[in-house]
Amino acid sequence: MSSPAQVRSTAAIEAFRLALVKFQERVQNAIDSLDGELHRASNWVEHDRPSHWKSQTHLAEDAVHQAKLDLERCLLMTVAGERPTCREQKAALVAAKAHRAYCQEKCEAVKRWQRSFRHEQFEYDGRIGQLRRMMELDVPKAQALLKTIVRRLDEYQIERPPEAQTPAEPVAAPVSNAAPVSAAPRPAVAALPTDDTALNTEDET
């Protein structure tokens, strides 16, 4: 048999329900903030960086192509019957090729970031989903239950029967000041004769 509930303050239950409401609001705001940050990060990894480094790679390839043309033109030129060393053009071609390799490396890095980010996002969605369902389903149910408990306790206080009164003390018999009535006197009993004369007299008679 379950023991009776020891409820001493409905105000404490109501205060807990209000605290639960505030907790739900804070958690929901935190989830919304995380969703916003996650959306921005996803847009940066999935769209912004791939587009940026793809464009930079194309520009780097164009720079390499232009550096090759400049070097070829330089090598075809003759100065006083001699070909120039074209050191500047050669250095520019080396730099253009290095920049192109850097851009290509960044493109590969972005692909790794995308795979890693998608995995982490999948893990996040699975874990935050439990908290999200709790905030959307369990917490409102708990709030409704607490509200029902407070309402029923208030109704019980209103409809509760009056407490049983303690039995009255027994009333002592009144004390009379009149004198007590004496018992009626008993009739005197005649004394029995004790001497022989009296016995003889009775016998003669």
Side-chain angles (χ1 to χ4, degrees), residues 43-201:
N43 183 69
W44 189 79
V45 172
E46 297 290 348
H47 303 286
D48 182 81
R49 291 299 89 186
S51 176
H52 171 76
W53 288 114
K54 184 178 181 179
S55 175
Q56 289 297 315
T57 301
H58 288 323
L59 293 176
E61 290 176 349
D62 292 340
V64 170
H65 179 69
Q66 184 63 40
K68 287 181 178 180
L69 293 178
D70 293 341
L71 179 59
E72 289 176 357
R73 282 197 298 267
C74 180
L75 293 174
L76 293 176
M77 294 176 60
T78 58
V79 177
E82 296 181 359
R83 290 183 180 181
T85 59
C86 302
R87 293 178 181 177
E88 294 181 359
Q89 288 76 9
K90 291 179 180 179
L93 179 59
V94 171
K97 288 181 178 180
H99 182 66
R100 182 182 63 181
Y102 174 78
C103 293
Q104 291 174 346
E105 181 182 352
K106 287 297 183 180
C107 288
E108 294 299 323
V110 167
K111 293 179 181 179
R112 292 194 300 270
W113 296 345
Q114 288 176 339
R115 290 192 295 267
S116 179
F117 181 82
R118 290 165 187 170
H119 174 74
E120 295 299 330
Q121 184 177 14
F122 178 79
E123 293 290 335
Y124 169 81
D125 291 339
R127 296 181 180 181
I128 203 66
Q130 298 178 0
L131 181 59
R132 197 188 304 275
R133 287 190 295 272
M134 184 183 298
M135 292 299 105
E136 294 177 354
L137 300 176
D138 296 340
V139 173
K141 287 181 180 179
Q143 294 176 8
L145 178 60
L146 291 172
K147 191 173 183 179
T148 301
I149 290 174
V150 172
R151 178 175 56 80
R152 290 181 178 177
L153 288 173
D154 292 338
E155 293 174 353
Y156 173 77
Q157 292 290 338
I158 296 174
E159 300 176 359
R160 184 177 60 180
E163 297 180 356
Q165 298 180 355
T166 57
E169 296 292 335
V171 180
V175 179
S176 176
N177 294 327
V181 179
S182 60
R186 295 181 180 179
V189 179
L192 296 177
T194 58
D195 55 355
D196 295 340
T197 306
L199 292 175
N200 294 332
T201 306

